[in-house]
Amino acid sequence: RAVLFAAAATVGRGFAGRRRELLSLRADIERAGLDTLAGRKAARSRVLLIAGRPGWGRTALAEELARRLADDYPDGVLSARLTTSAGAPVPTERTARELLGRLGVTAPPGADEDDLSEALRSALDGRRVLLLLDDVAGAEQVDALLPDEPDCLVVAVSRGPLTGVPDVRPCTVGGLDVSAAVGLLAQYTGPTRITCDPVAAQSLVEECAGQPAALVLVGGWLAARPQASVDDALARLRELPPDEGDLDHGARPMIRAFRLAYAALPSAAARMLRLLVLAPGGSADAQTASALAGCSVADGEAALEGFAAYGMLRPRGPGDYQVPGCLDPLLRERLAAEERPAEVELARARMLERAVRQLHACRLAAEPAGSPGRKKLAGMPKPLRFSSSAQAADWLAARLPTLVEAARLAVEIGELDTLARRLVAALTHALSAHRGAEGAAVELYGLHELVLDVARRRDLPVERAAALLNLGDLDGGAGRVDQALARYKSALEAARESGDPYTTGRALESIGGIYQELEDWHRAADWYGRALELRLSRRDLSAVARMYARLGTVHGYAGQWGEALRDWRAAAAACRRAGDRPGYARALSGAAG
């Protein structure tokens, strides 16, 4: 570690070149659109497209443009990545909800794509926001998120043209000019080695075709070797034999630079780097890295800092790093070639287990000082502990997208369902502890859907019924009454299949509650009556009292005063036997009414 990462703290980074592209993009903002030329007011936001293949600096250009334009958009710059690290398009509803959250708008849990897209457009109405959409997979993704506000601007990054989005001219990125490319190289090597051999530096730029990703990797290789010259790097690149990847001329410079940098890593560092593609979204902190590689947190932190210093990871924030999209497929190839499937599964299991433990500590931190939970937290390993509830809440907010993605991937892969269920449960408890059920409703809806997926795949009727009941509650709270009723009836089927009386009773009561909300008093009383019979057979006095009270309410609404009085008196008797004085008082009040 000392050899590989010793110079990490001394390397500075900056944006290089692209003056022509930046001028072109700025000019395109002011260009008269088709609506203007036709004498109409622009109906939607202007879209700037930066097109190019991964590794050619398209994202860096978009981010630099957004940085320079930020003052023109006082309501903020919002960014979202529309393709996962594995190459799958991100569902629009997930992106729209994420952007709404950054705007301070909470959409109902379970809302569909159309509702969320419309909510996003409404939230952006009257604002001046710059929306940066990275790794766009298709025009339909942009169209679903495109604001109807002409004062907003969308900057989209894609491999090619977005056919279907009107009035868009692509700015296609290629290699950097020689001056900018040499400057980028010097950010890693320092100016001395460039000055000593400017011809070799220009030749190295040509060998890399001016591709920023390739230059960064070669520059990182040189930064790790202060005694090596630029000519040494050029010679090593030229010595590399061609392989199948080199047949792709557009990716050839980056592939060869990656092979140079990767081959120079110590075996332990190379193993950690390729394992990082297992991290959700390619996003990793020291805890994740140490769990994947099975090393200490300190070693994980040092390794991440070193990878970032030498261009192999992108820093996203304090202690948080991202695997560059252009390197992700190359590292996945190395993972498949160099790691046995059992080792990959074990690394993924360690990562999920670490996340479960962190979430458990996060939940304990929400308990009052001096409580048994806080005492248990104090006994946990130092890297897992939180000093306060506020620190735990901040950590949860910062890591929430990654944690949710980890749960989603674990369920999707299906090889570690037990750990996936534990992770979902831990995340549910942590969210509820810090935000409350109502404040965490949006995230809980998605988590209950994951539980439902696992329960269906593993044929777990009790868990299937519980997930359906929780989803029904959230659907009902969002006003989707018909969907809630369907969830509850499916939950009843699963509960009866399992023979579990608790979930059966809860499903019966929930169905009655929906019919009560629909003011169908007869059906509500029928379902409440079925729930009451089950509660009576279980001798659950508190539940019996609650069911009698509900029956009294719906019979009263139906004008069946005699039945209502009988039910309220039965509720009072059950409360009295259970020693529930507040419930007894409420039942007497109901009988008097």
Side-chain angles (χ1 to χ4, degrees):
R1 190 179 77 207
V3 174
L4 181 62
F5 302 131
T10 66
V11 183
R13 304 290 176 263
F15 182 78
R18 303 298 188 195
R19 181 176 179 275
R20 180 183 59 81
E21 290 88 344
L22 287 167
L23 290 173
S24 174
L25 288 163
R26 276 185 170 273
D28 206 29
I29 298 175
E30 305 300 329
R31 176 177 58 86
L34 296 178
D35 287 311
T36 303
L37 293 173
R40 299 186 300 265
K41 185 180 186 298
R44 309 187 82 179
S45 302
R46 168 61 56 89
V47 178
L48 302 182
L49 172 60
I50 299 175
R53 302 188 61 169
W56 291 91
R58 52 186 193 162
T59 298
L61 174 59
E63 291 175 346
E64 178 66 14
L65 177 66
R67 185 187 68 79
R68 297 188 182 196
L69 294 176
D71 290 344
D72 297 333
Y73 295 89
D75 293 313
V77 176
L78 301 178
S79 62
R81 187 178 180 187
L82 304 191
T83 303
T84 67
S85 57
V90 176
T92 297
E93 56 266 29
R94 194 188 309 171
T95 304
R97 191 179 291 282
E98 179 184 338
L99 294 172
L100 283 168
R102 294 182 197 169
L103 290 168
V105 178
T106 302
D112 62 19
E113 176 182 324
D114 291 340
D115 290 338
L116 290 168
S117 294
E118 184 58 36
L120 179 61
R121 291 191 178 98
S122 297
L124 292 173
D125 189 39
R127 300 197 194 200
R128 287 183 62 85
V129 169
L130 191 156
L131 186 58
L132 197 165
L133 303 178
D134 196 9
D135 274 341
V136 175
E140 65 281 357
Q141 288 182 305
V142 176
D143 187 66
L145 301 170
L146 189 58
D148 287 334
E149 173 54 66
D151 287 335
C152 289
L153 176 69
V154 175
V155 178
V157 176
S158 177
R159 280 179 174 265
L162 296 177
T163 305
V165 178
D167 200 21
V168 177
R169 292 190 306 187
C171 172
T172 304
V173 295
L176 294 170
D177 61 66
V178 173
S179 177
V182 170
L184 178 60
L185 199 60
Q187 291 181 22
Y188 289 83
T189 64
T192 302
R193 281 184 279 184
I194 300 295
T195 304
C196 289
D197 199 346
V199 174
Q202 292 190 29
S203 298
L204 183 57
V205 166
E206 292 173 4
E207 189 71 22
C208 293
Q211 186 181 31
L215 290 166
V216 166
L217 289 171
V218 175
W221 184 89
L222 282 165
R225 291 157 183 79
Q227 303 305 316
S229 68
V230 176
D231 194 56
D232 292 333
L234 180 61
R236 292 291 296 274
L237 269 183
R238 288 173 172 172
E239 288 171 2
L240 288 172
D243 64 7
E244 293 182 3
D246 286 345
L247 297 177
D248 183 347
H249 290 281
R252 177 185 294 175
M254 182 181 62
I255 292 172
R256 292 170 68 81
F258 170 77
R259 288 165 58 198
L260 173 69
Y262 182 82
L265 292 173
S267 60
R271 181 171 184 269
M272 179 183 289
L273 182 61
R274 61 180 177 262
L275 285 172
L276 288 179
V277 298
L278 299 177
S283 174
D285 59 6
Q287 293 276 357
T288 302
S290 68
L292 284 169
C295 65
S296 70
V297 175
D299 283 349
E301 183 177 10
L304 292 177
E305 290 176 355
F307 291 142
Y310 301 130
M312 297 174 179
L313 292 180
R314 292 186 64 192
R316 300 201 317 168
D320 191 17
Y321 301 89
Q322 176 81 41
V323 176
C326 58
L327 296 187
D328 188 277
L330 301 176
L331 288 171
R332 289 184 187 276
E333 287 179 5
R334 291 296 86 220
L335 184 69
E338 299 181 43
E339 295 288 337
R340 293 176 297 175
E343 288 296 324
V344 172
E345 185 171 329
L346 180 59
R348 187 178 281 115
R350 286 195 302 264
M351 176 181 67
L352 295 178
E353 182 64 40
R354 179 68 62 89
V356 169
R357 296 181 67 194
Q358 286 181 287
L359 286 165
H360 181 54
C362 181
R363 180 185 65 81
L364 293 176
E367 297 190 12
S371 64
R374 291 296 287 270
K375 292 177 181 177
K376 188 174 182 180
L377 176 65
M380 296 183 74
K382 186 176 180 180
L384 295 176
R385 293 201 300 263
F386 296 96
S387 61
S388 66
S389 177
Q391 185 193 27
D394 290 343
W395 173 85
L396 181 61
R399 297 297 296 174
L400 185 58
T402 302
L403 291 166
V404 172
E405 183 65 12
R408 189 182 294 115
L409 286 174
V411 171
E412 182 180 314
I413 292 169
E415 297 173 352
L416 299 167
D417 277 345
T418 299
L419 262 174
R421 288 155 60 198
R422 289 180 57 214
L423 176 60
V424 171
L427 188 49
T428 299
H429 295 152
L431 282 166
S432 299
H434 285 279
R435 300 186 179 183
E438 185 175 347
V442 170
E443 291 81 10
L444 293 179
Y445 195 95
L447 294 173
H448 292 318
E449 286 185 316
L450 293 178
V451 172
L452 183 59
D453 289 342
V454 176
R456 283 171 172 164
R457 183 168 63 230
R458 294 290 184 177
D459 192 21
L460 304 170
V462 174
E463 292 193 11
R464 187 166 80 246
L468 286 164
L469 287 169
N470 289 327
L471 288 167
D473 291 343
L474 291 168
D475 282 327
R480 296 186 294 272
V481 179
D482 291 342
Q483 190 168 333
L485 183 59
R487 298 272 199 195
Y488 289 144
K489 288 184 175 180
S490 296
L492 179 59
E493 293 177 9
R496 284 173 169 168
E497 178 186 339
S498 69
D500 182 64
Y502 173 78
T503 50
T504 301
R506 188 183 163 202
L508 290 167
E509 187 174 346
S510 297
I511 294 172
I514 289 293
Y515 282 120
Q516 179 178 337
E517 187 173 341
L518 293 172
E519 299 185 2
D520 189 338
W521 315 123
H522 174 73
R523 286 183 177 173
D526 177 46
W527 287 99
Y528 283 152
R530 298 184 199 186
L532 175 61
E533 290 178 11
L534 182 61
R535 303 303 192 188
L536 285 169
S537 69
R538 302 291 298 175
R539 297 183 180 181
D540 185 346
L541 286 178
S542 61
V544 166
R546 185 176 66 252
M547 295 318 306
Y548 272 127
R550 289 199 159 197
L551 279 166
T553 299
V554 296
H555 281 142
Y557 282 137
Q560 298 171 322
W561 311 117
E563 289 87 343
L565 180 59
R566 182 193 64 205
D567 293 331
W568 282 114
R569 285 175 173 171
C575 287
R576 186 173 62 249
R577 290 197 301 274
D580 181 4
R581 293 175 66 87
Y584 181 63
R586 287 193 298 271
L588 290 178
S589 176

